[in-house]
Amino acid sequence: MPADESSGTLPLRSEEDIVASRQKVRALTQQLKFSLVDQTKMVTAASELSRNTLVHGGGGMMVWEVLDEGVRRGLKLRFEDEGPGIPDLKLALTDGWTSGKGLGLGLSGSKRLMHDFEIETAPGQGTRVTVTRWK
Ligand SMILES: Nc1ncnc2c1ncn2[C@@H]1O[C@H](COP(=O)(O)OP(=O)(O)OP(=O)(O)O)[C@@H](O)[C@H]1O
Ligand SMILES: [Mg+2]
């Protein structure tokens, strides 16, 4: 993969953008030769987190980065918005808890699908969710 294609940014401002982010993550995991199951895990998490960025965060962006540490390669995704933030992160990560009409499984489910999962958020400070899956 050329060096200039090891990272990039996509907007998350509409349903079409969510479709585009899913397609980008699918293509990146294919380039990294993830198994079909692992591709789907990453695409599923990206889809949930993109939707949270749009629905709860009021829109934002996805930053992707291919990680190449020689022995291991992976894909890191960061979802960021400047929305209201998450006041109680522990609660938000509880299976089945939603502030809206969702299933409340997006955040907790995404966490289980990834190897690394980190959230930076505070009321009024927006939200940044960073996830990584290694091959
Ligand atoms: N980017 C965000 N900004 C603000 N709040 C968020 C953000 N992402 C998640 N949340 C909060 O965390 C809660 C849990 O998120 P989660 O994705 O698990 O459930 P959900 O989006 O409500 O339902 P679904 O199962 O459809 O994803 C949300 O209901 C929302 O209150
Ligand atoms: Mg959600």
Side-chain angles (χ1 to χ4, degrees):
M1 203 180 299
D4 63 338
E5 279 184 30
S6 64
S7 67
T9 299
L10 290 179
L12 293 172
R13 305 231 159 255
S14 65
E15 286 295 324
E16 293 74 37
D17 288 348
I18 292 181
V19 174
S21 77
R22 286 176 66 101
Q23 286 168 347
K24 184 67 192 178
V25 172
R26 176 71 70 182
L28 288 165
T29 55
Q30 282 170 353
Q31 281 170 49
L32 280 161
K33 300 197 165 61
F34 277 31
S35 71
L36 196 53
V37 168
D38 288 351
Q39 288 176 32
T40 301
K41 285 179 181 171
M42 196 99 199
V43 172
T44 301
S47 183
E48 290 296 333
L49 297 172
S50 298
R51 188 164 300 282
N52 281 354
T53 300
L54 180 66
V55 173
H56 304 297
M61 61 182 172
M62 179 180 85
V63 183
W64 57 271
E65 188 184 351
V66 172
L67 304 174
D68 191 346
E69 294 187 354
V71 284
R72 62 175 190 171
R73 302 219 300 158
L75 181 61
K76 183 174 180 171
L77 304 174
R78 189 168 78 243
F79 298 84
E80 37 182 78
D81 64 64
E82 292 178 357
I86 304 177
D88 187 338
L89 196 50
K90 193 164 176 269
L91 193 60
L93 280 164
T94 304
D95 272 348
W97 190 85
T98 175
S99 63
K101 293 196 173 79
L103 292 175
L105 290 172
L107 271 187
S108 53
S110 300
K111 185 173 182 184
R112 284 192 289 269
L113 292 171
M114 293 297 111
H115 292 129
D116 303 318
F117 183 95
E118 218 174 285
I119 303 185
E120 285 174 86
T121 185
Q125 306 277 302
T127 300
R128 280 165 302 285
V129 184
T130 307
V131 300
T132 304
R133 208 179 149 90
W134 299 97
K135 186 168 179 271

